[in-house]
PDB file of all heavy atoms in Angstrom:
ATOM      1  N   ILE D   1      18.724 -50.723 -50.266  1.00 96.00           N
ATOM      2  CA  ILE D   1      18.216 -49.680 -49.451  1.00 96.00           C
ATOM      3  C   ILE D   1      17.916 -50.172 -48.018  1.00 96.00           C
ATOM      4  O   ILE D   1      18.241 -49.618 -47.001  1.00 96.00           O
ATOM      5  CB  ILE D   1      16.936 -49.066 -50.064  1.00 96.00           C
ATOM      6  CG1 ILE D   1      17.312 -48.237 -51.317  1.00 96.00           C
ATOM      7  CG2 ILE D   1      16.219 -48.136 -49.056  1.00 96.00           C
ATOM      8  CD1 ILE D   1      16.127 -47.725 -52.115  1.00 96.00           C
ATOM      9  N   ALA D   2      17.252 -51.384 -48.011  1.00 96.00           N
ATOM     10  CA  ALA D   2      16.889 -51.989 -46.692  1.00 96.00           C
ATOM     11  C   ALA D   2      18.142 -52.231 -45.867  1.00 96.00           C
ATOM     12  O   ALA D   2      18.184 -52.024 -44.661  1.00 96.00           O
ATOM     13  CB  ALA D   2      16.087 -53.275 -46.920  1.00 96.00           C
ATOM     14  N   GLU D   3      19.185 -52.756 -46.517  1.00 96.00           N
ATOM     15  CA  GLU D   3      20.447 -53.074 -45.772  1.00 96.00           C
ATOM     16  C   GLU D   3      21.073 -51.779 -45.271  1.00 96.00           C
ATOM     17  O   GLU D   3      21.597 -51.723 -44.177  1.00 96.00           O
ATOM     18  CB  GLU D   3      21.356 -53.801 -46.700  1.00 96.00           C
ATOM     19  CG  GLU D   3      20.911 -55.237 -47.076  1.00 96.00           C
ATOM     20  CD  GLU D   3      21.796 -55.903 -48.143  1.00 96.00           C
ATOM     21  OE1 GLU D   3      22.627 -55.183 -48.701  1.00 96.00           O
ATOM     22  OE2 GLU D   3      21.558 -57.079 -48.364  1.00 96.00           O
ATOM     23  N   LEU D   4      21.113 -50.793 -46.111  1.00 97.00           N
ATOM     24  CA  LEU D   4      21.743 -49.496 -45.730  1.00 97.00           C
ATOM     25  C   LEU D   4      20.904 -48.729 -44.706  1.00 97.00           C
ATOM     26  O   LEU D   4      21.466 -47.897 -43.964  1.00 97.00           O
ATOM     27  CB  LEU D   4      22.020 -48.651 -46.931  1.00 97.00           C
ATOM     28  CG  LEU D   4      23.135 -49.199 -47.905  1.00 97.00           C
ATOM     29  CD1 LEU D   4      23.251 -48.308 -49.163  1.00 97.00           C
ATOM     30  CD2 LEU D   4      24.454 -49.371 -47.153  1.00 97.00           C
ATOM     31  N   ASN D   5      19.625 -48.969 -44.620  1.00 97.00           N
ATOM     32  CA  ASN D   5      18.793 -48.338 -43.603  1.00 97.00           C
ATOM     33  C   ASN D   5      19.182 -48.801 -42.197  1.00 97.00           C
ATOM     34  O   ASN D   5      19.081 -48.060 -41.251  1.00 97.00           O
ATOM     35  CB  ASN D   5      17.341 -48.714 -43.849  1.00 97.00           C
ATOM     36  CG  ASN D   5      16.653 -47.820 -44.883  1.00 97.00           C
ATOM     37  OD1 ASN D   5      17.191 -46.773 -45.256  1.00 97.00           O
ATOM     38  ND2 ASN D   5      15.462 -48.238 -45.331  1.00 97.00           N
ATOM     39  N   THR D   6      19.658 -50.055 -42.101  1.00 97.00           N
ATOM     40  CA  THR D   6      20.013 -50.549 -40.780  1.00 97.00           C
ATOM     41  C   THR D   6      21.533 -50.398 -40.498  1.00 97.00           C
ATOM     42  O   THR D   6      21.966 -50.559 -39.365  1.00 97.00           O
ATOM     43  CB  THR D   6      19.688 -52.064 -40.660  1.00 97.00           C
ATOM     44  OG1 THR D   6      20.402 -52.809 -41.660  1.00 97.00           O
ATOM     45  CG2 THR D   6      18.155 -52.261 -40.859  1.00 97.00           C
ATOM     46  N   TRP D   7      22.300 -50.066 -41.528  1.00 97.00           N
ATOM     47  CA  TRP D   7      23.718 -49.908 -41.354  1.00 97.00           C
ATOM     48  C   TRP D   7      24.096 -48.549 -40.759  1.00 97.00           C
ATOM     49  O   TRP D   7      23.470 -47.508 -41.099  1.00 97.00           O
ATOM     50  CB  TRP D   7      24.400 -50.028 -42.734  1.00 97.00           C
ATOM     51  CG  TRP D   7      25.941 -49.824 -42.675  1.00 97.00           C
ATOM     52  CD1 TRP D   7      26.901 -50.662 -42.242  1.00 97.00           C
ATOM     53  CD2 TRP D   7      26.611 -48.600 -43.104  1.00 97.00           C
ATOM     54  NE1 TRP D   7      28.100 -50.106 -42.376  1.00 97.00           N
ATOM     55  CE2 TRP D   7      27.966 -48.821 -42.945  1.00 97.00           C
ATOM     56  CE3 TRP D   7      26.150 -47.408 -43.662  1.00 97.00           C
ATOM     57  CZ2 TRP D   7      28.941 -47.854 -43.219  1.00 97.00           C
ATOM     58  CZ3 TRP D   7      27.117 -46.422 -43.961  1.00 97.00           C
ATOM     59  CH2 TRP D   7      28.444 -46.688 -43.761  1.00 97.00           C
ATOM     60  N   ARG D   8      25.020 -48.588 -39.863  1.00 96.00           N
ATOM     61  CA  ARG D   8      25.435 -47.263 -39.228  1.00 96.00           C
ATOM     62  C   ARG D   8      26.992 -47.233 -39.414  1.00 96.00           C
ATOM     63  O   ARG D   8      27.713 -48.190 -39.012  1.00 96.00           O
ATOM     64  CB  ARG D   8      25.085 -47.199 -37.718  1.00 96.00           C
ATOM     65  CG  ARG D   8      23.603 -47.078 -37.495  1.00 96.00           C
ATOM     66  CD  ARG D   8      23.059 -45.793 -38.074  1.00 96.00           C
ATOM     67  NE  ARG D   8      21.621 -45.644 -37.921  1.00 96.00           N
ATOM     68  CZ  ARG D   8      20.711 -45.908 -38.794  1.00 96.00           C
ATOM     69  NH1 ARG D   8      21.091 -46.468 -39.960  1.00 96.00           N
ATOM     70  NH2 ARG D   8      19.405 -45.729 -38.613  1.00 96.00           N
ATOM     71  N   PRO D   9      27.541 -46.115 -39.914  1.00 96.00           N
ATOM     72  CA  PRO D   9      28.981 -46.037 -40.060  1.00 96.00           C
ATOM     73  C   PRO D   9      29.671 -46.009 -38.663  1.00 96.00           C
ATOM     74  O   PRO D   9      29.121 -45.350 -37.727  1.00 96.00           O
ATOM     75  CB  PRO D   9      29.132 -44.687 -40.802  1.00 96.00           C
ATOM     76  CG  PRO D   9      27.946 -43.907 -40.442  1.00 96.00           C
ATOM     77  CD  PRO D   9      26.862 -44.904 -40.321  1.00 96.00           C
ATOM     78  N   PRO D  10      30.776 -46.630 -38.521  1.00 97.00           N
ATOM     79  CA  PRO D  10      31.448 -46.564 -37.247  1.00 97.00           C
ATOM     80  C   PRO D  10      31.846 -45.120 -36.928  1.00 97.00           C
ATOM     81  O   PRO D  10      32.124 -44.317 -37.829  1.00 97.00           O
ATOM     82  CB  PRO D  10      32.742 -47.414 -37.494  1.00 97.00           C
ATOM     83  CG  PRO D  10      32.442 -48.250 -38.686  1.00 97.00           C
ATOM     84  CD  PRO D  10      31.460 -47.480 -39.511  1.00 97.00           C
ATOM     85  N   GLU D  11      31.861 -44.773 -35.659  1.00 96.00           N
ATOM     86  CA  GLU D  11      32.335 -43.406 -35.254  1.00 96.00           C
ATOM     87  C   GLU D  11      33.755 -43.206 -35.692  1.00 96.00           C
ATOM     88  O   GLU D  11      34.600 -44.139 -35.489  1.00 96.00           O
ATOM     89  CB  GLU D  11      32.195 -43.271 -33.751  1.00 96.00           C
ATOM     90  CG  GLU D  11      30.771 -42.949 -33.289  1.00 96.00           C
ATOM     91  CD  GLU D  11      30.278 -41.586 -33.807  1.00 96.00           C
ATOM     92  OE1 GLU D  11      31.011 -40.605 -33.713  1.00 96.00           O
ATOM     93  OE2 GLU D  11      29.170 -41.583 -34.393  1.00 96.00           O
ATOM     94  N   PRO D  12      34.099 -42.055 -36.185  1.00 97.00           N
ATOM     95  CA  PRO D  12      35.529 -41.845 -36.617  1.00 97.00           C
ATOM     96  C   PRO D  12      36.501 -42.002 -35.415  1.00 97.00           C
ATOM     97  O   PRO D  12      36.191 -41.570 -34.315  1.00 97.00           O
ATOM     98  CB  PRO D  12      35.490 -40.359 -37.076  1.00 97.00           C
ATOM     99  CG  PRO D  12      34.056 -40.097 -37.489  1.00 97.00           C
ATOM    100  CD  PRO D  12      33.264 -40.952 -36.490  1.00 97.00           C
ATOM    101  N   GLU D  13      37.609 -42.646 -35.701  1.00 96.00           N
ATOM    102  CA  GLU D  13      38.591 -42.853 -34.661  1.00 96.00           C
ATOM    103  C   GLU D  13      39.836 -41.900 -34.915  1.00 96.00           C
ATOM    104  O   GLU D  13      40.744 -41.898 -34.072  1.00 96.00           O
ATOM    105  CB  GLU D  13      39.080 -44.324 -34.630  1.00 96.00           C
ATOM    106  CG  GLU D  13      39.663 -44.741 -35.980  1.00 96.00           C
ATOM    107  CD  GLU D  13      40.013 -46.214 -35.948  1.00 96.00           C
ATOM    108  OE1 GLU D  13      39.171 -47.033 -35.510  1.00 96.00           O
ATOM    109  OE2 GLU D  13      41.081 -46.601 -36.477  1.00 96.00           O
ATOM    110  N   GLU D  14      39.812 -41.159 -35.992  1.00 97.00           N
ATOM    111  CA  GLU D  14      40.991 -40.339 -36.347  1.00 97.00           C
ATOM    112  C   GLU D  14      40.867 -38.957 -35.725  1.00 97.00           C
ATOM    113  O   GLU D  14      40.739 -37.907 -36.432  1.00 97.00           O
ATOM    114  CB  GLU D  14      41.048 -40.211 -37.926  1.00 97.00           C
ATOM    115  CG  GLU D  14      41.116 -41.554 -38.651  1.00 97.00           C
ATOM    116  CD  GLU D  14      39.763 -42.148 -38.906  1.00 97.00           C
ATOM    117  OE1 GLU D  14      38.728 -41.533 -38.506  1.00 97.00           O
ATOM    118  OE2 GLU D  14      39.737 -43.253 -39.536  1.00 97.00           O
ATOM    119  N   TRP D  15      40.832 -38.901 -34.446  1.00 97.00           N
ATOM    120  CA  TRP D  15      40.805 -37.597 -33.711  1.00 97.00           C
ATOM    121  C   TRP D  15      41.372 -37.782 -32.326  1.00 97.00           C
ATOM    122  O   TRP D  15      41.497 -38.855 -31.804  1.00 97.00           O
ATOM    123  CB  TRP D  15      39.355 -37.095 -33.635  1.00 97.00           C
ATOM    124  CG  TRP D  15      38.446 -37.937 -32.732  1.00 97.00           C
ATOM    125  CD1 TRP D  15      37.792 -39.053 -33.056  1.00 97.00           C
ATOM    126  CD2 TRP D  15      38.155 -37.611 -31.366  1.00 97.00           C
ATOM    127  NE1 TRP D  15      37.072 -39.551 -32.014  1.00 97.00           N
ATOM    128  CE2 TRP D  15      37.316 -38.681 -30.981  1.00 97.00           C
ATOM    129  CE3 TRP D  15      38.521 -36.658 -30.498  1.00 97.00           C
ATOM    130  CZ2 TRP D  15      36.760 -38.694 -29.644  1.00 97.00           C
ATOM    131  CZ3 TRP D  15      38.013 -36.684 -29.157  1.00 97.00           C
ATOM    132  CH2 TRP D  15      37.191 -37.766 -28.755  1.00 97.00           C
ATOM    133  N   ARG D  16      41.681 -36.641 -31.720  1.00 96.00           N
ATOM    134  CA  ARG D  16      42.047 -36.583 -30.304  1.00 96.00           C
ATOM    135  C   ARG D  16      41.637 -35.218 -29.759  1.00 96.00           C
ATOM    136  O   ARG D  16      41.310 -34.354 -30.557  1.00 96.00           O
ATOM    137  CB  ARG D  16      43.543 -36.812 -30.128  1.00 96.00           C
ATOM    138  CG  ARG D  16      44.441 -35.881 -30.937  1.00 96.00           C
ATOM    139  CD  ARG D  16      45.926 -36.062 -30.562  1.00 96.00           C
ATOM    140  NE  ARG D  16      46.384 -37.428 -30.789  1.00 96.00           N
ATOM    141  CZ  ARG D  16      46.978 -37.858 -31.838  1.00 96.00           C
ATOM    142  NH1 ARG D  16      47.243 -36.994 -32.838  1.00 96.00           N
ATOM    143  NH2 ARG D  16      47.442 -39.076 -31.917  1.00 96.00           N
ATOM    144  N   LEU D  17      41.670 -35.134 -28.473  1.00 95.00           N
ATOM    145  CA  LEU D  17      41.268 -33.852 -27.862  1.00 95.00           C
ATOM    146  C   LEU D  17      42.348 -32.776 -28.118  1.00 95.00           C
ATOM    147  O   LEU D  17      43.534 -33.119 -28.200  1.00 95.00           O
ATOM    148  CB  LEU D  17      41.063 -33.976 -26.343  1.00 95.00           C
ATOM    149  CG  LEU D  17      39.836 -34.852 -25.954  1.00 95.00           C
ATOM    150  CD1 LEU D  17      39.823 -35.044 -24.488  1.00 95.00           C
ATOM    151  CD2 LEU D  17      38.543 -34.215 -26.416  1.00 95.00           C
ATOM    152  N   ALA D  18      41.895 -31.509 -28.212  1.00 93.00           N
ATOM    153  CA  ALA D  18      42.854 -30.499 -28.562  1.00 93.00           C
ATOM    154  C   ALA D  18      43.969 -30.314 -27.559  1.00 93.00           C
ATOM    155  O   ALA D  18      45.101 -29.981 -27.974  1.00 93.00           O
ATOM    156  CB  ALA D  18      42.137 -29.148 -28.707  1.00 93.00           C
ATOM    157  N   ASP D  19      43.744 -30.630 -26.240  1.00 92.00           N
ATOM    158  CA  ASP D  19      44.828 -30.426 -25.303  1.00 92.00           C
ATOM    159  C   ASP D  19      45.885 -31.560 -25.337  1.00 92.00           C
ATOM    160  O   ASP D  19      46.903 -31.501 -24.614  1.00 92.00           O
ATOM    161  CB  ASP D  19      44.232 -30.329 -23.892  1.00 92.00           C
ATOM    162  CG  ASP D  19      43.401 -31.519 -23.466  1.00 92.00           C
ATOM    163  OD1 ASP D  19      43.432 -32.514 -24.245  1.00 92.00           O
ATOM    164  OD2 ASP D  19      42.709 -31.472 -22.445  1.00 92.00           O
ATOM    165  N   SER D  20      45.666 -32.551 -26.277  1.00 92.00           N
ATOM    166  CA  SER D  20      46.640 -33.617 -26.476  1.00 92.00           C
ATOM    167  C   SER D  20      47.388 -33.410 -27.799  1.00 92.00           C
ATOM    168  O   SER D  20      47.943 -34.318 -28.322  1.00 92.00           O
ATOM    169  CB  SER D  20      46.007 -34.975 -26.376  1.00 92.00           C
ATOM    170  OG  SER D  20      45.066 -35.124 -27.399  1.00 92.00           O
ATOM    171  N   ALA D  21      47.349 -32.208 -28.315  1.00 90.00           N
ATOM    172  CA  ALA D  21      47.929 -31.940 -29.669  1.00 90.00           C
ATOM    173  C   ALA D  21      49.435 -32.264 -29.612  1.00 90.00           C
ATOM    174  O   ALA D  21      50.126 -31.914 -28.704  1.00 90.00           O
ATOM    175  CB  ALA D  21      47.671 -30.531 -30.092  1.00 90.00           C
ATOM    176  N   LEU D  22      49.846 -32.867 -30.776  1.00 92.00           N
ATOM    177  CA  LEU D  22      51.280 -32.987 -31.038  1.00 92.00           C
ATOM    178  C   LEU D  22      51.730 -31.647 -31.614  1.00 92.00           C
ATOM    179  O   LEU D  22      51.207 -31.249 -32.654  1.00 92.00           O
ATOM    180  CB  LEU D  22      51.572 -34.121 -32.002  1.00 92.00           C
ATOM    181  CG  LEU D  22      51.188 -35.599 -31.462  1.00 92.00           C
ATOM    182  CD1 LEU D  22      51.386 -36.569 -32.606  1.00 92.00           C
ATOM    183  CD2 LEU D  22      51.993 -35.948 -30.277  1.00 92.00           C
ATOM    184  N   PRO D  23      52.744 -30.974 -30.999  1.00 92.00           N
ATOM    185  CA  PRO D  23      53.188 -29.717 -31.549  1.00 92.00           C
ATOM    186  C   PRO D  23      53.860 -29.914 -32.904  1.00 92.00           C
ATOM    187  O   PRO D  23      54.444 -30.999 -33.182  1.00 92.00           O
ATOM    188  CB  PRO D  23      54.193 -29.255 -30.529  1.00 92.00           C
ATOM    189  CG  PRO D  23      54.710 -30.465 -29.834  1.00 92.00           C
ATOM    190  CD  PRO D  23      53.552 -31.419 -29.842  1.00 92.00           C
ATOM    191  N   PRO D  24      53.806 -28.907 -33.775  1.00 93.00           N
ATOM    192  CA  PRO D  24      54.547 -29.038 -35.062  1.00 93.00           C
ATOM    193  C   PRO D  24      56.006 -29.393 -34.881  1.00 93.00           C
ATOM    194  O   PRO D  24      56.699 -28.800 -33.957  1.00 93.00           O
ATOM    195  CB  PRO D  24      54.331 -27.593 -35.698  1.00 93.00           C
ATOM    196  CG  PRO D  24      53.116 -27.132 -35.026  1.00 93.00           C
ATOM    197  CD  PRO D  24      53.144 -27.624 -33.677  1.00 93.00           C
ATOM    198  N   ASP D  25      56.519 -30.297 -35.634  1.00 92.00           N
ATOM    199  CA  ASP D  25      57.890 -30.683 -35.573  1.00 92.00           C
ATOM    200  C   ASP D  25      58.643 -30.433 -36.896  1.00 92.00           C
ATOM    201  O   ASP D  25      59.607 -31.132 -37.169  1.00 92.00           O
ATOM    202  CB  ASP D  25      58.059 -32.142 -35.145  1.00 92.00           C
ATOM    203  CG  ASP D  25      57.475 -33.120 -36.067  1.00 92.00           C
ATOM    204  OD1 ASP D  25      56.778 -32.692 -37.073  1.00 92.00           O
ATOM    205  OD2 ASP D  25      57.643 -34.371 -35.888  1.00 92.00           O
ATOM    206  N   VAL D  26      58.105 -29.532 -37.679  1.00 92.00           N
ATOM    207  CA  VAL D  26      58.744 -29.172 -38.959  1.00 92.00           C
ATOM    208  C   VAL D  26      59.434 -27.804 -38.809  1.00 92.00           C
ATOM    209  O   VAL D  26      59.055 -27.026 -37.958  1.00 92.00           O
ATOM    210  CB  VAL D  26      57.707 -29.090 -40.073  1.00 92.00           C
ATOM    211  CG1 VAL D  26      57.033 -30.466 -40.320  1.00 92.00           C
ATOM    212  CG2 VAL D  26      56.618 -28.089 -39.762  1.00 92.00           C
ATOM    213  N   GLU D  27      60.498 -27.599 -39.598  1.00 91.00           N
ATOM    214  CA  GLU D  27      61.255 -26.352 -39.474  1.00 91.00           C
ATOM    215  C   GLU D  27      60.410 -25.153 -39.888  1.00 91.00           C
ATOM    216  O   GLU D  27      60.541 -24.075 -39.303  1.00 91.00           O
ATOM    217  CB  GLU D  27      62.500 -26.470 -40.408  1.00 91.00           C
ATOM    218  CG  GLU D  27      63.545 -27.442 -39.917  1.00 91.00           C
ATOM    219  CD  GLU D  27      64.782 -27.451 -40.753  1.00 91.00           C
ATOM    220  OE1 GLU D  27      64.879 -26.571 -41.674  1.00 91.00           O
ATOM    221  OE2 GLU D  27      65.688 -28.314 -40.549  1.00 91.00           O
ATOM    222  N   ASP D  28      59.602 -25.316 -40.930  1.00 94.00           N
ATOM    223  CA  ASP D  28      58.823 -24.181 -41.416  1.00 94.00           C
ATOM    224  C   ASP D  28      57.367 -24.587 -41.608  1.00 94.00           C
ATOM    225  O   ASP D  28      56.960 -25.104 -42.617  1.00 94.00           O
ATOM    226  CB  ASP D  28      59.391 -23.788 -42.817  1.00 94.00           C
ATOM    227  CG  ASP D  28      58.754 -22.449 -43.297  1.00 94.00           C
ATOM    228  OD1 ASP D  28      57.654 -22.047 -42.818  1.00 94.00           O
ATOM    229  OD2 ASP D  28      59.365 -21.835 -44.270  1.00 94.00           O
TER     230      ASP D  28
END
């Protein structure tokens, strides 16, 4: 508990701004 009280999860890196979206490249 003491160790996890001081631990902070890293900020997620799996995102980007909406205006940089990759357009769908699938047929359907």
Side-chain angles (χ1 to χ4, degrees):
I1 292 174
E3 291 171 352
L4 292 177
N5 278 345
T6 61
W7 176 77
R8 293 295 179 265
E11 280 295 311
E13 59 185 45
E14 303 86 0
W15 68 276
R16 56 172 57 96
L17 293 174
D19 57 9
S20 63
L22 297 174
D25 62 352
V26 297
E27 293 184 4
D28 188 342

